[in-house]
Amino acid sequence: MSNFKYVLKNENLQKTVIKVGETKIGEDFLLIAGPCSVEDINQVEEIAQSVKKSGANVLRGGAYKPRTSPYSFRGLGLQGLEYLRYAGQKVGLPIITEVCDTRDVETVAYYSDILQIGTRNMQNFSLLVEVGKTNRPVLLKRGIYSTIDEFLNSAEYIMNEGNQNVILCERGIRTVETEYTRNTLDLSTVALLKQITHLPVIVDPSHATGRADLIEPMCLSSVMAGCDGLEIEVHNSPDKALSDSEQQITPEEFSKMSTKIFKTVEFKKNL
Amino acid sequence: MSNFKYVLKNENLQKTVIKVGETKIGEDFLLIAGPCSVEDINQVEEIAQSVKKSGANVLRGGAYKPRTSPYSFRGLGLQGLEYLRYAGQKVGLPIITEVCDTRDVETVAYYSDILQIGTRNMQNFSLLVEVGKTNRPVLLKRGIYSTIDEFLNSAEYIMNEGNQNVILCERGIRTVETEYTRNTLDLSTVALLKQITHLPVIVDPSHATGRADLIEPMCLSSVMAGCDGLEIEVHNSPDKALSDSEQQITPEEFSKMSTKIFKTVEFKKNL
Amino acid sequence: MSNFKYVLKNENLQKTVIKVGETKIGEDFLLIAGPCSVEDINQVEEIAQSVKKSGANVLRGGAYKPRTSPYSFRGLGLQGLEYLRYAGQKVGLPIITEVCDTRDVETVAYYSDILQIGTRNMQNFSLLVEVGKTNRPVLLKRGIYSTIDEFLNSAEYIMNEGNQNVILCERGIRTVETEYTRNTLDLSTVALLKQITHLPVIVDPSHATGRADLIEPMCLSSVMAGCDGLEIEVHNSPDKALSDSEQQITPEEFSKMSTKIFKTVEFKKNL
Amino acid sequence: MSNFKYVLKNENLQKTVIKVGETKIGEDFLLIAGPCSVEDINQVEEIAQSVKKSGANVLRGGAYKPRTSPYSFRGLGLQGLEYLRYAGQKVGLPIITEVCDTRDVETVAYYSDILQIGTRNMQNFSLLVEVGKTNRPVLLKRGIYSTIDEFLNSAEYIMNEGNQNVILCERGIRTVETEYTRNTLDLSTVALLKQITHLPVIVDPSHATGRADLIEPMCLSSVMAGCDGLEIEVHNSPDKALSDSEQQITPEEFSKMSTKIFKTVEFKKNL
């Protein structure tokens, strides 16, 4: 185990609670939902309304999209941030969006309530330092092939700059299985992180599996593994989505799912 | 996807139910418990009594132990089979034990109610053919680095010989993370297998994590992922165990855990 | 590092030399060639004659074939052994073939000059023990996802039974890259094994890459990494081969390649 | 295979040659050497003189160091760039150094003859776009867990911005083996890249193995796999190095090694 100063539980700090909007992350169950990419103002507003009704407490949407190929849709940029903020304010939800470039940190922090660091940037140390200097909570996704030790060290980078509000997010790792599922959701790491760190730990089942039909069981599994929240991609017409069409679910599916998620959260509390 | 004749769901077969003792595997929740290795008659009998009380419906114990090093304890062999059967009969539990050698299949099938194929033998095709010729149910563990396609093909080997009573078992795969957890439990594969195959699918959280303190959350997670059962290593004094001492739990721990497991099974049924 | 009794270099043993036919393996460069599977008597005889002319000193051919799917060609069995031995004797080459089942060890040892343990059986410990009791040299292939430590432990199993004539074979491991190459040839392991073990270490570039066009550069690379030999699949008409058609090369290609291989071996000696 | 516009060989472009100093990369063998980190002016000057004598044609040295832990030495920054340029000019060698932050691209491009993108930034797309806008050659290291397809797409990002002078560098990937070697050098990928892309392909054996004693065999292996160059870490007293002490070699070792490397390059040309 590396030498950590901040991330581990200690006598004085057993649990970090982060207030975003009305939600006390770490105590209240965090349910982030929204489209993979912000595509247009109507899309994001429509989705925002429906996920809010279903109990989501944070709205997600990608404006700067890291894509493997330069020829894929890379997001609407600043325009996307505007749309997302507008939709969030309209329905009364705080927003989260990814930041990929040190030069964009100030702007994204201006628009967004939570800053998301994506899996490919988990070891973009300049970016970690930069978000560590803001006063925005940071959701840090685990790298697709990162060890737990590396993951915790990346959180340490942010906290070492003064920003203690870090949320860890398991989102699937790359393993031998790539044909039937996109990645492998590592829930033992969620249970382990809950034991050793005081930070909130959430799960992104959408990227972890890459399949809409596995999201519900993985959400319920994640709750029982002890996670503090979920981030789920929801799209009003997944088959027309400009990115990740296979793993997004509809608002209707999300509505049914969220009912089961909250029931499971309650069940676990009383177990 | 490979060309499969037997393992996939089809119009006529949505669910295979396997009767072992009083338990209808695939319908009733299967709870296999017992020591990693059979060490002596008192040990196995004592554990058998306590896990039976806690609701286990099959007793496990290793007599032929595949070990990485030739200098590790390799099990009591035939003597171990005798002890295990004796303990099972005494407390009224069917037994399961691993078979590693084609030459032992007849003997192990004589003693044991279920034949276990371990992770290292998932592609020992001679052995698969041989257990496929018996009339004993076979619990097939996923190879530590096997794809879902390879796993299903190995089940296909057994079924192709006429034995349709195969139980699939996810037991953790080898990934980037080896410092904090021994392997990575792949629960998305469990959810996926439940969708495409009619065979019962169970989870072994003991080998998957290699840590006693992660077994409970992984058991409850597995239930919500849709598994049909669990196989858990229980030892009366884990720190003195001749194998896998770090991942075995005590009968007392198992008792508390099984209560939560059965509650979760009920909760899921009614969700 | 595990506790090893036999595999590591020590004061008294820096290099094991194994005599097979006229070849002193460990001193003379070992060049094993032949078809993936023995298909018929003419095929194997024709290939044997040509590879002998090109400098091969051992003839390979599979009679018992481990295949992922039960519906793939699984080899001619005993008939294949007969054909292979006949061809070897006719052209004056010792033979090597795989053994997969403890019950076949005696028979295969009767026919074959070297026993091959395939990648899927590297941790089939019963089989390792059984070949360890014979007086035939054993070529042990590294498991597709085995660590160096596990590999050496498997050699230790064989040597612990009394058979000191073990040849280690790197044949590619499973990694992130599966689209362009079948496996990843791990040549740093070859260099490392040459430093710590006294056993001969060879390379199988055919399975490692799964592509005929990469075999030549990988052969020459392997020589410079310090290997003691190569095992190459050669087929008189690769596109009609009953197994591994994409990675087999023709006798003509092998002839040109072997010239370069031997030149590189000479070059390295004098470097 | 992805849709590529630039990286693949085509009728009109079989080989990209990049002129840096006196060296035509892609035709002349590229030998990059120097310390992992620039530590002080004397260190880098001393190493520069000796590697120049041994035939190196580019001087390396890290000024901005991406490190897993925030508490490790992270490089001298601008001061390091100054030292490196000074040393390079003094001995007459062009220099290469890593750039990690979009905001530093202009500065690093001002000082350095080649821009290096490190393994952790292979999918830092903002950074790829930014170096793609400069007129400096870019050495792109493969991500520690990247597929060939992802690697080529990242080169495509740079070329899509107008910069066609990309050098690909294999530097080891993360696999099952982490105890004896740090990473696994993937030489089949080098051979494959030489077949499908017109870009120069080089190898970094220092990071690939993490062991000084494996660097020589891996250099010679790499040459035979077809690489166009090597990047080797050289330090005047490796055990006192502020980073990567276990894998750096001394100027004396480098001198002997480079002689063998150039002999092997000649040998291969005439084979």
Side-chain angles (χ1 to χ4, degrees):
Chain A
M1 199 189 276
S2 291
N3 194 22
F4 297 116
K5 291 189 194 167
Y6 298 104
V7 295
L8 301 183
K9 279 183 186 173
N10 57 63
E11 263 181 48
N12 303 313
L13 187 50
Q14 289 291 311
K15 185 155 86 164
T16 286
V17 175
I18 304 170
K19 188 105 189 297
V20 174
E22 303 299 307
T23 308
K24 291 176 186 160
I25 302 170
E27 276 180 21
D28 304 331
F29 195 78
L30 177 64
L31 188 56
I32 304 173
C36 179
S37 299
V38 174
E39 296 170 12
D40 63 62
I41 183 100
N42 295 326
Q43 171 233 25
V44 68
E45 192 184 327
E46 191 183 321
I47 297 172
Q49 277 171 331
S50 65
V51 300
K52 162 93 177 177
K53 256 188 235 158
S54 303
N57 37 31
V58 173
L59 175 67
R60 69 151 282 148
Y64 300 97
K65 300 294 305 169
R67 303 301 300 271
T68 299
S69 163
Y71 313 121
S72 301
F73 174 62
R74 296 198 240 163
L76 298 180
L78 195 52
Q79 183 71 87
L81 292 182
E82 294 267 11
Y83 291 167
L84 186 66
R85 187 174 64 167
Y86 170 84
Q89 286 177 342
K90 184 137 184 200
V91 306
L93 282 181
I95 62 172
I96 181 172
T97 197
E98 182 167 353
V99 58
C100 306
D101 190 323
T102 48
R103 297 170 301 186
D104 297 332
V105 170
E106 196 180 334
T107 304
V108 178
Y110 173 78
Y111 282 93
S112 185
D113 301 281
I114 308 178
L115 303 177
Q116 182 166 306
I117 301 293
T119 189
R120 293 183 186 82
N121 284 312
M122 193 203 83
Q123 292 196 315
N124 182 338
F125 302 119
S126 302
L127 188 60
L128 299 181
V129 166
E130 209 61 26
V131 299
K133 291 176 181 160
T134 72
N135 60 1
R136 289 294 192 191
V138 178
L139 188 151
L140 177 67
K141 292 206 168 181
R142 183 181 179 188
I144 198 171
Y145 207 61
S146 296
T147 62
I148 294 175
D149 211 66
E150 290 168 345
F151 192 16
L152 292 175
N153 265 303
S154 288
E156 197 83 7
Y157 260 95
I158 299 168
M159 298 171 88
N160 189 40
E161 297 296 322
N163 187 341
Q164 304 302 306
N165 292 325
V166 177
I167 303 159
L168 302 173
C169 180
E170 159 63 26
R171 49 77 69 207
I173 54 173
R174 190 170 271 179
T175 68
V176 64
E177 181 51 50
T178 53
E179 183 187 358
Y180 291 76
T181 58
R182 181 170 166 179
N183 295 297
T184 297
L185 183 57
D186 180 4
L187 290 180
S188 30
T189 283
V190 172
L192 183 105
L193 288 172
K194 285 303 297 174
Q195 288 192 10
I196 64 175
T197 172
H198 54 82
L199 299 171
V201 179
I202 75 160
V203 171
D204 166 359
S206 305
H207 288 89
T209 62
R211 291 173 63 121
D213 60 351
L214 297 182
I215 291 174
E216 182 179 305
M218 289 304 100
C219 283
L220 306 182
S221 272
S222 299
V223 171
M224 296 311 287
C227 76
D228 296 298
L230 292 162
E231 178 169 16
I232 302 174
E233 290 189 351
V234 177
H235 196 282
N236 39 5
S237 61
D239 53 339
K240 291 185 189 151
L242 297 179
S243 55
D244 283 351
S245 71
E246 290 186 9
Q247 75 197 30
Q248 299 194 64
I249 58 172
T250 64
E252 293 69 37
E253 290 166 326
F254 178 70
S255 171
K256 286 180 202 160
M257 206 177 285
S258 67
T259 306
K260 292 189 187 174
I261 290 168
F262 288 119
K263 275 190 191 169
T264 308
V265 170
E266 276 313 297
F267 168 74
K268 181 168 187 294
K269 257 186 212 158
N270 301 315
L271 188 63
Chain B
M1 199 189 275
S2 291
N3 195 22
F4 297 115
K5 292 189 194 167
Y6 298 104
V7 295
L8 301 182
K9 280 183 185 173
N10 59 63
E11 263 181 49
N12 303 313
L13 186 51
Q14 290 290 309
K15 185 156 87 167
T16 286
V17 174
I18 303 169
K19 188 102 189 298
V20 174
E22 304 298 307
T23 309
K24 291 176 185 161
I25 302 170
E27 277 181 19
D28 305 330
F29 195 77
L30 176 64
L31 188 56
I32 304 173
C36 179
S37 299
V38 174
E39 296 171 11
D40 63 63
I41 184 99
N42 295 326
Q43 171 233 24
V44 68
E45 192 184 327
E46 190 183 321
I47 297 171
Q49 277 171 330
S50 63
V51 299
K52 162 90 176 177
K53 256 186 236 159
S54 303
N57 38 31
V58 172
L59 176 67
R60 67 151 283 148
Y64 300 98
K65 300 294 305 170
R67 303 301 299 273
T68 299
S69 163
Y71 312 121
S72 301
F73 174 63
R74 294 198 241 165
L76 297 181
L78 194 52
Q79 182 72 83
L81 293 181
E82 293 267 12
Y83 291 166
L84 187 67
R85 187 175 63 169
Y86 170 82
Q89 287 178 342
K90 183 136 185 202
V91 305
L93 284 179
I95 62 171
I96 181 172
T97 198
E98 183 167 353
V99 59
C100 306
D101 189 325
T102 48
R103 298 170 301 186
D104 297 331
V105 170
E106 196 180 334
T107 304
V108 177
Y110 173 77
Y111 282 94
S112 186
D113 302 280
I114 308 178
L115 303 176
Q116 182 166 306
I117 300 293
T119 189
R120 294 183 185 82
N121 283 311
M122 193 203 83
Q123 292 196 314
N124 181 338
F125 303 118
S126 302
L127 187 61
L128 299 179
V129 165
E130 209 60 27
V131 299
K133 291 176 181 162
T134 72
N135 60 1
R136 290 295 191 189
V138 178
L139 188 152
L140 177 67
K141 292 207 166 180
R142 182 181 180 187
I144 198 171
Y145 207 62
S146 295
T147 61
I148 294 176
D149 211 66
E150 290 168 344
F151 192 17
L152 292 175
N153 265 303
S154 288
E156 197 83 5
Y157 260 94
I158 298 168
M159 298 171 89
N160 189 41
E161 296 297 323
N163 187 342
Q164 305 301 305
N165 293 325
V166 176
I167 304 159
L168 302 173
C169 180
E170 158 64 24
R171 48 76 72 208
I173 55 174
R174 190 171 271 180
T175 69
V176 63
E177 181 52 50
T178 54
E179 183 187 357
Y180 291 75
T181 58
R182 182 170 166 178
N183 295 296
T184 296
L185 184 58
D186 179 4
L187 290 180
S188 29
T189 283
V190 172
L192 183 105
L193 288 171
K194 284 304 296 173
Q195 289 192 10
I196 64 175
T197 173
H198 54 82
L199 299 171
V201 179
I202 75 160
V203 171
D204 165 0
S206 306
H207 288 90
T209 62
R211 291 173 63 121
D213 60 351
L214 296 182
I215 292 175
E216 182 180 305
M218 289 304 99
C219 283
L220 306 181
S221 272
S222 299
V223 170
M224 296 311 287
C227 77
D228 297 299
L230 292 161
E231 178 170 16
I232 302 173
E233 290 189 351
V234 177
H235 196 282
N236 38 6
S237 59
D239 53 339
K240 291 185 189 150
L242 296 179
S243 55
D244 283 351
S245 70
E246 290 185 9
Q247 75 196 30
Q248 298 194 64
I249 58 173
T250 62
E252 292 70 37
E253 290 166 326
F254 178 70
S255 170
K256 286 180 202 161
M257 206 177 285
S258 66
T259 306
K260 293 187 186 175
I261 291 167
F262 287 118
K263 276 189 190 168
T264 309
V265 170
E266 275 314 296
F267 168 74
K268 180 166 188 297
K269 259 188 211 158
N270 301 316
L271 188 63
Chain C
M1 198 188 277
S2 291
N3 194 23
F4 296 117
K5 292 189 194 168
Y6 298 105
V7 295
L8 301 183
K9 280 184 187 173
N10 57 62
E11 264 181 48
N12 303 314
L13 187 50
Q14 289 291 309
K15 185 156 84 165
T16 286
V17 174
I18 303 170
K19 189 104 189 296
V20 174
E22 304 298 307
T23 308
K24 291 175 187 160
I25 302 170
E27 275 179 20
D28 306 331
F29 195 79
L30 177 64
L31 189 55
I32 305 173
C36 178
S37 298
V38 174
E39 296 170 10
D40 62 62
I41 184 100
N42 295 326
Q43 171 233 27
V44 67
E45 192 184 327
E46 191 183 321
I47 297 172
Q49 276 170 332
S50 65
V51 299
K52 162 94 177 175
K53 255 187 236 159
S54 303
N57 38 31
V58 172
L59 176 66
R60 68 151 282 146
Y64 300 98
K65 301 292 306 168
R67 303 302 298 274
T68 298
S69 163
Y71 313 120
S72 301
F73 174 62
R74 295 199 240 163
L76 298 181
L78 195 52
Q79 183 71 85
L81 292 181
E82 294 266 11
Y83 290 167
L84 186 67
R85 187 175 64 168
Y86 171 83
Q89 285 177 344
K90 183 137 186 202
V91 305
L93 282 180
I95 63 171
I96 181 172
T97 199
E98 182 167 353
V99 59
C100 306
D101 190 324
T102 48
R103 296 170 302 187
D104 296 332
V105 170
E106 194 180 336
T107 305
V108 177
Y110 173 78
Y111 282 95
S112 186
D113 301 280
I114 309 178
L115 303 176
Q116 182 166 308
I117 300 292
T119 189
R120 293 184 186 82
N121 283 312
M122 193 203 84
Q123 292 197 314
N124 181 338
F125 303 118
S126 301
L127 188 61
L128 298 180
V129 165
E130 209 60 27
V131 299
K133 291 176 181 161
T134 72
N135 60 1
R136 290 294 192 191
V138 178
L139 189 151
L140 177 67
K141 293 207 167 180
R142 182 180 179 188
I144 199 172
Y145 207 61
S146 294
T147 62
I148 294 176
D149 210 66
E150 290 168 345
F151 192 16
L152 292 176
N153 265 302
S154 288
E156 196 83 6
Y157 259 96
I158 299 168
M159 299 171 87
N160 188 41
E161 296 297 322
N163 187 342
Q164 305 302 305
N165 293 326
V166 176
I167 303 159
L168 301 173
C169 180
E170 159 62 26
R171 49 77 72 207
I173 54 173
R174 189 171 271 179
T175 68
V176 62
E177 181 52 50
T178 54
E179 182 186 358
Y180 291 76
T181 58
R182 181 170 167 179
N183 295 298
T184 297
L185 183 57
D186 179 4
L187 290 180
S188 30
T189 283
V190 172
L192 182 105
L193 288 172
K194 286 303 297 173
Q195 288 193 11
I196 63 175
T197 172
H198 54 83
L199 299 170
V201 179
I202 76 161
V203 171
D204 165 0
S206 306
H207 288 90
T209 62
R211 290 174 64 122
D213 61 352
L214 297 182
I215 291 174
E216 183 180 304
M218 288 304 99
C219 284
L220 307 181
S221 272
S222 299
V223 170
M224 296 311 287
C227 77
D228 297 297
L230 291 162
E231 177 168 18
I232 302 173
E233 290 189 351
V234 178
H235 196 282
N236 39 5
S237 61
D239 52 339
K240 290 184 189 150
L242 296 179
S243 55
D244 283 351
S245 70
E246 291 187 8
Q247 75 197 31
Q248 299 194 65
I249 58 173
T250 64
E252 293 69 38
E253 291 167 325
F254 179 70
S255 170
K256 287 180 200 159
M257 205 177 286
S258 67
T259 307
K260 293 188 186 174
I261 290 167
F262 288 119
K263 276 190 190 168
T264 308
V265 170
E266 275 314 296
F267 168 73
K268 180 165 188 298
K269 258 187 211 157
N270 301 316
L271 188 64
Chain D
M1 199 189 275
S2 291
N3 194 23
F4 297 115
K5 293 189 192 168
Y6 298 104
V7 296
L8 300 183
K9 280 183 185 172
N10 57 63
E11 264 181 50
N12 303 314
L13 186 50
Q14 290 291 309
K15 185 155 86 166
T16 287
V17 174
I18 304 170
K19 188 104 190 297
V20 174
E22 304 298 308
T23 308
K24 292 176 185 159
I25 302 169
E27 277 180 20
D28 306 330
F29 195 80
L30 176 64
L31 188 56
I32 304 173
C36 179
S37 300
V38 174
E39 295 170 10
D40 63 63
I41 184 102
N42 296 326
Q43 171 233 27
V44 68
E45 193 184 328
E46 190 184 321
I47 296 172
Q49 276 170 332
S50 64
V51 299
K52 162 92 175 176
K53 255 187 237 161
S54 303
N57 38 31
V58 173
L59 176 66
R60 67 151 284 147
Y64 299 98
K65 300 293 305 170
R67 303 301 298 273
T68 300
S69 164
Y71 313 120
S72 301
F73 174 63
R74 295 198 239 164
L76 297 180
L78 195 52
Q79 183 71 84
L81 293 181
E82 293 268 11
Y83 290 167
L84 186 67
R85 186 175 65 168
Y86 170 83
Q89 286 178 343
K90 184 137 185 203
V91 306
L93 283 180
I95 62 171
I96 181 173
T97 198
E98 182 166 353
V99 58
C100 307
D101 190 324
T102 49
R103 296 170 302 186
D104 297 331
V105 170
E106 196 180 335
T107 304
V108 178
Y110 173 78
Y111 281 94
S112 185
D113 301 280
I114 308 177
L115 302 176
Q116 182 166 306
I117 301 292
T119 189
R120 293 184 186 83
N121 284 311
M122 193 202 83
Q123 292 196 315
N124 181 337
F125 302 119
S126 302
L127 188 61
L128 299 179
V129 165
E130 209 59 27
V131 298
K133 291 176 181 162
T134 73
N135 60 0
R136 291 293 192 192
V138 178
L139 188 151
L140 177 65
K141 292 206 166 181
R142 182 181 181 188
I144 199 172
Y145 207 62
S146 296
T147 62
I148 294 176
D149 211 66
E150 290 168 344
F151 192 17
L152 292 174
N153 265 304
S154 289
E156 197 83 7
Y157 260 95
I158 299 167
M159 299 172 87
N160 189 41
E161 297 297 323
N163 188 342
Q164 304 302 304
N165 292 326
V166 176
I167 304 158
L168 302 173
C169 180
E170 158 63 24
R171 48 77 70 208
I173 53 173
R174 190 171 272 179
T175 68
V176 64
E177 181 51 50
T178 53
E179 183 187 358
Y180 291 76
T181 58
R182 180 170 166 178
N183 295 297
T184 296
L185 184 57
D186 179 4
L187 290 179
S188 30
T189 284
V190 172
L192 182 106
L193 288 171
K194 286 304 297 174
Q195 288 192 11
I196 64 175
T197 172
H198 54 82
L199 299 171
V201 179
I202 75 161
V203 171
D204 165 0
S206 306
H207 287 89
T209 61
R211 290 173 63 122
D213 60 351
L214 297 183
I215 291 175
E216 183 179 303
M218 288 305 98
C219 283
L220 307 180
S221 271
S222 299
V223 171
M224 296 311 287
C227 76
D228 297 299
L230 291 162
E231 177 170 15
I232 302 173
E233 290 189 350
V234 178
H235 196 282
N236 38 6
S237 59
D239 52 340
K240 290 184 190 150
L242 296 179
S243 56
D244 283 351
S245 70
E246 289 185 10
Q247 75 196 29
Q248 299 194 64
I249 59 173
T250 63
E252 294 68 38
E253 290 166 326
F254 178 70
S255 171
K256 286 180 201 160
M257 207 176 285
S258 67
T259 307
K260 292 188 187 176
I261 290 167
F262 288 119
K263 276 190 191 170
T264 308
V265 170
E266 275 316 295
F267 168 73
K268 181 167 187 296
K269 259 187 210 157
N270 302 315
L271 188 63

